[in-house]
Amino acid sequence: MKKIFLYVVAILCAYNSTAQGLHEIKMADMANLPLDTYVEDINDNGFICGYYNAAANKGFVLNQTCEIVDIDVSLVNPNITQTKVVGINNQNTIAIHGITNVNTQEMLKGYYDAQISLYSLSTVANNQQASLAKTTKMNNLNDFCGWYQGVNSRWLYICHDSIVPVPPAWKADRYMVGPTYYNTMTGGMNDNNIVVGYYIDGSDYIPYLYDGLTGTFTLINTGLDMRVHDINNANKIVGEYKQGNSIWMGFSADVDVLTGQLSNFFSFNALFEVNTISSYAKGINNAGTIVGSYVHPTSGQFVGFVYFPTIADSFGLHNFDMNTHVWTQIENDGTGAKTMWPPSLYAGIDYYTQDPYANNGIPLIDTFIMTKYPHLDNPFFVPPHSSPEWSVFGKLIDSASMALSGDPYLEQKYKLIYKHRYFDRYHSSVFVREWAGMCYGFTNAVLRKHYTNNTFSTVYNLNPGDQLAAISNASNEAIRSIESEFVKQLDIDHAYYFNKYKNADEIDFYPHQAGLYYLKWHYSTDFNKANPRGLNLRSGNAAHSVMPYKIKSPRKLPFDYPVLKFDTIYVYENSTPLNTNKKMFIHPVFLNRGPSEGGDSVIAGYNMKPCFFLPGVRDAGFIKNKIITNYKKERSFTPDSLLSFSTRSNNYYTLTTGTGYAKLDMSGYSQTANDIQPLRLMDSSRPNPILFVIDSNTSFQLNTSNYTDSLITWNLSSNHMSMGVNREALPNEKDYATVNKNSITYGNPDNITKELSCYSIFHDDNKDKAFNILTSKLKMNFQDSIITTTHQDFTYSIQKVTGGATTYDLWIYADNGDSILQFIASQLPLDANTTHTIDPFYFNGTALQTVVYVDNGNNGTLEDTLFIASVPLGQTIVNSVVKNIFIYPNPVEDFVFIKSTSDVNMKMDITLSDLQGRKVFNSSFYQDKGIQSKSIDLRTIASGTYILTLYDDKGSVVHTQKIRKQ
């Protein structure tokens, strides 16, 4: 059988002052040829079910993840060739009518597994008419109903599959007058045991109500020929009636179950371009949403529809106010001087250079990190692929309980060791976008602002009426929560959630349309069930993430008759949030045109794959507490059984786990294996995976090449360790690695010299003992190889396996539970076939000392021990021409003096920031070659505690120090 795809298009119309919304559902084959589509039922969750006709009738469910789930009853009974999904209840259980190849009716059911988006199928219990009964519906109590052919007439039946009231589990009845038995057809059954249907008397169709508890019929009071197909718990019925022109047309009405009296009758001819289009309404849920089908006036095929009777002017977020429920933000499109987080936001924190969690002036991208990652050569330039996702970063920091402690020792632990570890874990696993800039769209932060002002006034201590630029002195939690919600470029491709197929061609078909249906469905319900997400639009080399907040549609069915029609989706885009005229026009068939943006309109094209919202009905608690409580990282006190490994996603790589295991070949982004054991591929929906989870006993080989951004980053991480290799790389170069639980082997296959930065961060369970070791400027010649290893005894080794001698610079922070020491050395010689083992915790009898044990020949015998000098923290920063910086006096009264040594003449910049990160003072001076002392006038600065930061002429931070102004 060919795989089937869905088009879904929606319209909204207001007809004769009646608010109403429509949605159209079509099935088509791979050749884009339409199929008869019969929509049978809808539950209170918005799941719809039905069947379509290809070679035979095939059942389907459109589920909560915007995915079409095919129902194949032949798995239960291979003789069943016709499958119709005719009912679905609020437990997402489905009622199935199956037909075998000898025209025998079968009663089946399916239970939904939300984890795998599939149904487990079985036959219906207590069924006494398995070969004859035709299922039509089921209620929320798992009561099945339908009809079967008797000897001389048709009977309705009720089958209690799971709940067995009195009368017994199986009950059959038929409408009769005296000795006359009529063909009694069954529709649906509500939770009050009221069944609807109709009986046939010659050419007449007479509707009825049937009380399943008392076994009594009540005729519905109408003079029309009428087939009633369903009833909800509010006693609203739907079905079809014969018009005066003899065309059957869908309808809805309220019915008095005691008298059969109808009220509020509504003919569906108001929903169609002409009243000669035949239609029927087949199912209704307790919210009053109706589903059914109609016959297309030109093709003659059946087309499904969903009807929302109570939609007002448009589908949209309930009571959404563009003036109070949106954040004004600044976009960064990758060009010009725009910045996403200017200093005016969040208490003046500069998100490019200052750590927003300590709020104490500690630069986020400090000298140590810049040395570890050579491409971060300027703290004022954080590349788009390095923009931290603060929620991840912040949760890790929170778990350490150091950044905000106020204890100088703990703050140093955070600043010098744990911040680097957490930044490294984040930075190594983030994927690279396909464009140079960042765009931030509608977020859950805005949903929170819309949902409840209490969230902002109590949880975050924010004024809910403020715009971001007006907020000052915000809590760290509020900063992280709101900001992380704005980071859209880290969103997973939503197509992964609603398409069970992995073929690229299939992904580009129905899912975006299914998502449009579910967006409208959630917009038609209470707000606490709505969780809309951003929509990614593309134009040239840029991308935009926006949120649809309102949907207007063509006024009537069919959507391609008499002319082609378009949905209009109005979008909120946070760089211009009060522009209520931004909109997209959505083609009702396939969205295969590239988008363009001009004026007030955005035409959305092929990149409509995102589903608009993450799957699942969300309650209000999810919206409020997502960032605050979920996924807090717990400190591990157990041995590391799993490791994670990451490499940059914008280079090619081939990864092999050894004999008998598959190879993952991402050369040219052509994936030959989705999941290679014993590695687990994390986020395999990406064109190029970013993270692998590895059993701690596993080793694998890695080849990387084609460095499109001229960078290489390998990182191996566990609960206690983070280690890696980085270097700047030309696109045509390549590198080799072997990785196991605590080591990375590096090999240079190119006939060129390369320079590596190798590092290791390691700590114990209680974070009482830790080190941060960086070896930089490690030169590797052609066919050189080294093995870097982090040992459980708190040492780190570099083993030179082949090639000639080389050198490296060493920089260490060591924490022994009571103080942190800094050790620095330059140009340490590393000979061929030699191992250097770095021990930051060598005790020389009076104090800690760092030593490097030298094993010439790699034979286990130590030939030498190198002693590394301890350097006072904050006094010397390597890799800068400015050294030996002293700031005095401290506290300061009027003038602060800066004494420094420089190898060259240069301009220096100085800034003063308060403890909230706000810059209160800027100045500059010229640093002469040699030793000099400069005075800075601080008489205009108010008394208080500040962070003084010095920058060299390249913008690099060369010194930071806390000072107090008296």
Side-chain angles (χ1 to χ4, degrees), residues 192-206:
N192 302 314
N193 287 283
I194 302 298
V195 181
V196 294
Y198 57 95
Y199 73 87
I200 303 174
D201 181 5
S203 61
D204 297 326
Y205 296 81
I206 297 93

mmCIF file with all atom_site columns, all heavy atoms in Angstrom, residues 192-206:
data_model
loop_
_atom_site.group_PDB
_atom_site.id
_atom_site.type_symbol
_atom_site.label_atom_id
_atom_site.label_alt_id
_atom_site.label_comp_id
_atom_site.label_asym_id
_atom_site.label_entity_id
_atom_site.label_seq_id
_atom_site.pdbx_PDB_ins_code
_atom_site.Cartn_x
_atom_site.Cartn_y
_atom_site.Cartn_z
_atom_site.occupancy
_atom_site.B_iso_or_equiv
_atom_site.pdbx_formal_charge
_atom_site.auth_seq_id
_atom_site.auth_comp_id
_atom_site.auth_asym_id
_atom_site.auth_atom_id
_atom_site.pdbx_PDB_model_num
ATOM 1   N N   . ASN A 1 192 ? -24.784 9.132  29.372 1.00 0.00 ? 192 ASN A N   1
ATOM 2   C CA  . ASN A 1 192 ? -26.009 8.932  30.151 1.00 0.00 ? 192 ASN A CA  1
ATOM 3   C C   . ASN A 1 192 ? -26.857 7.787  29.589 1.00 0.00 ? 192 ASN A C   1
ATOM 4   O O   . ASN A 1 192 ? -28.047 7.697  29.891 1.00 0.00 ? 192 ASN A O   1
ATOM 5   C CB  . ASN A 1 192 ? -26.828 10.229 30.175 1.00 0.00 ? 192 ASN A CB  1
ATOM 6   C CG  . ASN A 1 192 ? -26.040 11.384 30.759 1.00 0.00 ? 192 ASN A CG  1
ATOM 7   O OD1 . ASN A 1 192 ? -25.398 11.244 31.802 1.00 0.00 ? 192 ASN A OD1 1
ATOM 8   N ND2 . ASN A 1 192 ? -26.066 12.529 30.081 1.00 0.00 ? 192 ASN A ND2 1
ATOM 9   N N   . ASN A 1 193 ? -26.241 6.962  28.762 1.00 0.00 ? 193 ASN A N   1
ATOM 10  C CA  . ASN A 1 193 ? -26.902 5.792  28.167 1.00 0.00 ? 193 ASN A CA  1
ATOM 11  C C   . ASN A 1 193 ? -28.026 6.164  27.202 1.00 0.00 ? 193 ASN A C   1
ATOM 12  O O   . ASN A 1 193 ? -28.930 5.371  26.971 1.00 0.00 ? 193 ASN A O   1
ATOM 13  C CB  . ASN A 1 193 ? -27.444 4.852  29.259 1.00 0.00 ? 193 ASN A CB  1
ATOM 14  C CG  . ASN A 1 193 ? -26.349 4.088  29.971 1.00 0.00 ? 193 ASN A CG  1
ATOM 15  O OD1 . ASN A 1 193 ? -25.805 3.127  29.459 1.00 0.00 ? 193 ASN A OD1 1
ATOM 16  N ND2 . ASN A 1 193 ? -26.008 4.561  31.163 1.00 0.00 ? 193 ASN A ND2 1
ATOM 17  N N   . ILE A 1 194 ? -27.978 7.381  26.647 1.00 0.00 ? 194 ILE A N   1
ATOM 18  C CA  . ILE A 1 194 ? -28.948 7.782  25.628 1.00 0.00 ? 194 ILE A CA  1
ATOM 19  C C   . ILE A 1 194 ? -28.345 7.507  24.259 1.00 0.00 ? 194 ILE A C   1
ATOM 20  O O   . ILE A 1 194 ? -27.278 8.028  23.915 1.00 0.00 ? 194 ILE A O   1
ATOM 21  C CB  . ILE A 1 194 ? -29.332 9.262  25.759 1.00 0.00 ? 194 ILE A CB  1
ATOM 22  C CG1 . ILE A 1 194 ? -29.916 9.537  27.155 1.00 0.00 ? 194 ILE A CG1 1
ATOM 23  C CG2 . ILE A 1 194 ? -30.319 9.653  24.666 1.00 0.00 ? 194 ILE A CG2 1
ATOM 24  C CD1 . ILE A 1 194 ? -31.184 8.763  27.449 1.00 0.00 ? 194 ILE A CD1 1
ATOM 25  N N   . VAL A 1 195 ? -29.043 6.683  23.482 1.00 0.00 ? 195 VAL A N   1
ATOM 26  C CA  . VAL A 1 195 ? -28.612 6.324  22.140 1.00 0.00 ? 195 VAL A CA  1
ATOM 27  C C   . VAL A 1 195 ? -29.480 7.084  21.144 1.00 0.00 ? 195 VAL A C   1
ATOM 28  O O   . VAL A 1 195 ? -30.682 7.287  21.368 1.00 0.00 ? 195 VAL A O   1
ATOM 29  C CB  . VAL A 1 195 ? -28.748 4.811  21.896 1.00 0.00 ? 195 VAL A CB  1
ATOM 30  C CG1 . VAL A 1 195 ? -28.271 4.429  20.496 1.00 0.00 ? 195 VAL A CG1 1
ATOM 31  C CG2 . VAL A 1 195 ? -27.979 4.029  22.956 1.00 0.00 ? 195 VAL A CG2 1
ATOM 32  N N   . VAL A 1 196 ? -28.850 7.553  20.035 1.00 0.00 ? 196 VAL A N   1
ATOM 33  C CA  . VAL A 1 196 ? -29.613 8.160  18.948 1.00 0.00 ? 196 VAL A CA  1
ATOM 34  C C   . VAL A 1 196 ? -29.452 7.304  17.697 1.00 0.00 ? 196 VAL A C   1
ATOM 35  O O   . VAL A 1 196 ? -28.484 6.556  17.554 1.00 0.00 ? 196 VAL A O   1
ATOM 36  C CB  . VAL A 1 196 ? -29.166 9.613  18.669 1.00 0.00 ? 196 VAL A CB  1
ATOM 37  C CG1 . VAL A 1 196 ? -29.479 10.518 19.839 1.00 0.00 ? 196 VAL A CG1 1
ATOM 38  C CG2 . VAL A 1 196 ? -27.673 9.663  18.327 1.00 0.00 ? 196 VAL A CG2 1
ATOM 39  N N   . GLY A 1 197 ? -30.419 7.456  16.816 1.00 0.00 ? 197 GLY A N   1
ATOM 40  C CA  . GLY A 1 197 ? -30.382 6.733  15.554 1.00 0.00 ? 197 GLY A CA  1
ATOM 41  C C   . GLY A 1 197 ? -31.616 7.051  14.737 1.00 0.00 ? 197 GLY A C   1
ATOM 42  O O   . GLY A 1 197 ? -32.245 8.101  14.913 1.00 0.00 ? 197 GLY A O   1
ATOM 43  N N   . TYR A 1 198 ? -31.983 6.154  13.867 1.00 0.00 ? 198 TYR A N   1
ATOM 44  C CA  . TYR A 1 198 ? -33.167 6.341  13.037 1.00 0.00 ? 198 TYR A CA  1
ATOM 45  C C   . TYR A 1 198 ? -33.642 4.963  12.599 1.00 0.00 ? 198 TYR A C   1
ATOM 46  O O   . TYR A 1 198 ? -32.882 3.991  12.593 1.00 0.00 ? 198 TYR A O   1
ATOM 47  C CB  . TYR A 1 198 ? -32.869 7.234  11.832 1.00 0.00 ? 198 TYR A CB  1
ATOM 48  C CG  . TYR A 1 198 ? -31.762 6.727  10.948 1.00 0.00 ? 198 TYR A CG  1
ATOM 49  C CD1 . TYR A 1 198 ? -32.037 5.965  9.813  1.00 0.00 ? 198 TYR A CD1 1
ATOM 50  C CD2 . TYR A 1 198 ? -30.421 7.011  11.243 1.00 0.00 ? 198 TYR A CD2 1
ATOM 51  C CE1 . TYR A 1 198 ? -31.017 5.485  9.011  1.00 0.00 ? 198 TYR A CE1 1
ATOM 52  C CE2 . TYR A 1 198 ? -29.390 6.541  10.449 1.00 0.00 ? 198 TYR A CE2 1
ATOM 53  C CZ  . TYR A 1 198 ? -29.696 5.774  9.329  1.00 0.00 ? 198 TYR A CZ  1
ATOM 54  O OH  . TYR A 1 198 ? -28.697 5.295  8.537  1.00 0.00 ? 198 TYR A OH  1
ATOM 55  N N   . TYR A 1 199 ? -34.955 4.883  12.286 1.00 0.00 ? 199 TYR A N   1
ATOM 56  C CA  . TYR A 1 199 ? -35.437 3.636  11.713 1.00 0.00 ? 199 TYR A CA  1
ATOM 57  C C   . TYR A 1 199 ? -35.980 3.928  10.333 1.00 0.00 ? 199 TYR A C   1
ATOM 58  O O   . TYR A 1 199 ? -36.306 5.078  9.998  1.00 0.00 ? 199 TYR A O   1
ATOM 59  C CB  . TYR A 1 199 ? -36.469 2.957  12.615 1.00 0.00 ? 199 TYR A CB  1
ATOM 60  C CG  . TYR A 1 199 ? -37.834 3.614  12.663 1.00 0.00 ? 199 TYR A CG  1
ATOM 61  C CD1 . TYR A 1 199 ? -38.821 3.294  11.719 1.00 0.00 ? 199 TYR A CD1 1
ATOM 62  C CD2 . TYR A 1 199 ? -38.156 4.510  13.685 1.00 0.00 ? 199 TYR A CD2 1
ATOM 63  C CE1 . TYR A 1 199 ? -40.073 3.875  11.772 1.00 0.00 ? 199 TYR A CE1 1
ATOM 64  C CE2 . TYR A 1 199 ? -39.405 5.092  13.738 1.00 0.00 ? 199 TYR A CE2 1
ATOM 65  C CZ  . TYR A 1 199 ? -40.376 4.773  12.782 1.00 0.00 ? 199 TYR A CZ  1
ATOM 66  O OH  . TYR A 1 199 ? -41.619 5.355  12.835 1.00 0.00 ? 199 TYR A OH  1
ATOM 67  N N   . ILE A 1 200 ? -36.042 2.911  9.520  1.00 0.00 ? 200 ILE A N   1
ATOM 68  C CA  . ILE A 1 200 ? -36.433 3.054  8.122  1.00 0.00 ? 200 ILE A CA  1
ATOM 69  C C   . ILE A 1 200 ? -37.822 2.439  7.939  1.00 0.00 ? 200 ILE A C   1
ATOM 70  O O   . ILE A 1 200 ? -38.063 1.271  8.278  1.00 0.00 ? 200 ILE A O   1
ATOM 71  C CB  . ILE A 1 200 ? -35.419 2.368  7.197  1.00 0.00 ? 200 ILE A CB  1
ATOM 72  C CG1 . ILE A 1 200 ? -34.005 2.939  7.428  1.00 0.00 ? 200 ILE A CG1 1
ATOM 73  C CG2 . ILE A 1 200 ? -35.826 2.530  5.736  1.00 0.00 ? 200 ILE A CG2 1
ATOM 74  C CD1 . ILE A 1 200 ? -32.922 2.217  6.669  1.00 0.00 ? 200 ILE A CD1 1
ATOM 75  N N   . ASP A 1 201 ? -38.724 3.251  7.395  1.00 0.00 ? 201 ASP A N   1
ATOM 76  C CA  . ASP A 1 201 ? -40.077 2.789  7.090  1.00 0.00 ? 201 ASP A CA  1
ATOM 77  C C   . ASP A 1 201 ? -40.312 3.080  5.617  1.00 0.00 ? 201 ASP A C   1
ATOM 78  O O   . ASP A 1 201 ? -40.669 4.195  5.247  1.00 0.00 ? 201 ASP A O   1
ATOM 79  C CB  . ASP A 1 201 ? -41.091 3.515  7.964  1.00 0.00 ? 201 ASP A CB  1
ATOM 80  C CG  . ASP A 1 201 ? -42.521 3.050  7.697  1.00 0.00 ? 201 ASP A CG  1
ATOM 81  O OD1 . ASP A 1 201 ? -42.697 2.098  6.909  1.00 0.00 ? 201 ASP A OD1 1
ATOM 82  O OD2 . ASP A 1 201 ? -43.443 3.663  8.267  1.00 0.00 ? 201 ASP A OD2 1
ATOM 83  N N   . GLY A 1 202 ? -40.056 2.094  4.770  1.00 0.00 ? 202 GLY A N   1
ATOM 84  C CA  . GLY A 1 202 ? -40.158 2.316  3.329  1.00 0.00 ? 202 GLY A CA  1
ATOM 85  C C   . GLY A 1 202 ? -39.084 3.295  2.894  1.00 0.00 ? 202 GLY A C   1
ATOM 86  O O   . GLY A 1 202 ? -37.885 3.049  3.046  1.00 0.00 ? 202 GLY A O   1
ATOM 87  N N   . SER A 1 203 ? -39.523 4.448  2.389  1.00 0.00 ? 203 SER A N   1
ATOM 88  C CA  . SER A 1 203 ? -38.580 5.483  1.962  1.00 0.00 ? 203 SER A CA  1
ATOM 89  C C   . SER A 1 203 ? -38.389 6.560  3.021  1.00 0.00 ? 203 SER A C   1
ATOM 90  O O   . SER A 1 203 ? -37.695 7.552  2.783  1.00 0.00 ? 203 SER A O   1
ATOM 91  C CB  . SER A 1 203 ? -39.057 6.129  0.655  1.00 0.00 ? 203 SER A CB  1
ATOM 92  O OG  . SER A 1 203 ? -40.318 6.743  0.848  1.00 0.00 ? 203 SER A OG  1
ATOM 93  N N   . ASP A 1 204 ? -38.972 6.390  4.172  1.00 0.00 ? 204 ASP A N   1
ATOM 94  C CA  . ASP A 1 204 ? -38.898 7.391  5.233  1.00 0.00 ? 204 ASP A CA  1
ATOM 95  C C   . ASP A 1 204 ? -37.824 7.023  6.254  1.00 0.00 ? 204 ASP A C   1
ATOM 96  O O   . ASP A 1 204 ? -37.627 5.851  6.580  1.00 0.00 ? 204 ASP A O   1
ATOM 97  C CB  . ASP A 1 204 ? -40.252 7.512  5.940  1.00 0.00 ? 204 ASP A CB  1
ATOM 98  C CG  . ASP A 1 204 ? -41.354 7.995  5.018  1.00 0.00 ? 204 ASP A CG  1
ATOM 99  O OD1 . ASP A 1 204 ? -41.049 8.805  4.128  1.00 0.00 ? 204 ASP A OD1 1
ATOM 100 O OD2 . ASP A 1 204 ? -42.505 7.537  5.173  1.00 0.00 ? 204 ASP A OD2 1
ATOM 101 N N   . TYR A 1 205 ? -37.160 8.081  6.771  1.00 0.00 ? 205 TYR A N   1
ATOM 102 C CA  . TYR A 1 205 ? -36.137 7.927  7.794  1.00 0.00 ? 205 TYR A CA  1
ATOM 103 C C   . TYR A 1 205 ? -36.605 8.707  9.020  1.00 0.00 ? 205 TYR A C   1
ATOM 104 O O   . TYR A 1 205 ? -36.711 9.934  8.982  1.00 0.00 ? 205 TYR A O   1
ATOM 105 C CB  . TYR A 1 205 ? -34.786 8.454  7.314  1.00 0.00 ? 205 TYR A CB  1
ATOM 106 C CG  . TYR A 1 205 ? -34.221 7.680  6.142  1.00 0.00 ? 205 TYR A CG  1
ATOM 107 C CD1 . TYR A 1 205 ? -34.658 7.930  4.841  1.00 0.00 ? 205 TYR A CD1 1
ATOM 108 C CD2 . TYR A 1 205 ? -33.263 6.703  6.347  1.00 0.00 ? 205 TYR A CD2 1
ATOM 109 C CE1 . TYR A 1 205 ? -34.145 7.220  3.770  1.00 0.00 ? 205 TYR A CE1 1
ATOM 110 C CE2 . TYR A 1 205 ? -32.739 5.981  5.279  1.00 0.00 ? 205 TYR A CE2 1
ATOM 111 C CZ  . TYR A 1 205 ? -33.194 6.245  3.998  1.00 0.00 ? 205 TYR A CZ  1
ATOM 112 O OH  . TYR A 1 205 ? -32.683 5.527  2.939  1.00 0.00 ? 205 TYR A OH  1
ATOM 113 N N   . ILE A 1 206 ? -36.913 7.995  10.114 1.00 0.00 ? 206 ILE A N   1
ATOM 114 C CA  . ILE A 1 206 ? -37.489 8.618  11.293 1.00 0.00 ? 206 ILE A CA  1
ATOM 115 C C   . ILE A 1 206 ? -36.483 8.520  12.435 1.00 0.00 ? 206 ILE A C   1
ATOM 116 O O   . ILE A 1 206 ? -36.061 7.417  12.822 1.00 0.00 ? 206 ILE A O   1
ATOM 117 C CB  . ILE A 1 206 ? -38.818 7.936  11.697 1.00 0.00 ? 206 ILE A CB  1
ATOM 118 C CG1 . ILE A 1 206 ? -39.860 8.097  10.591 1.00 0.00 ? 206 ILE A CG1 1
ATOM 119 C CG2 . ILE A 1 206 ? -39.329 8.528  13.000 1.00 0.00 ? 206 ILE A CG2 1
ATOM 120 C CD1 . ILE A 1 206 ? -39.897 6.972  9.621  1.00 0.00 ? 206 ILE A CD1 1
#
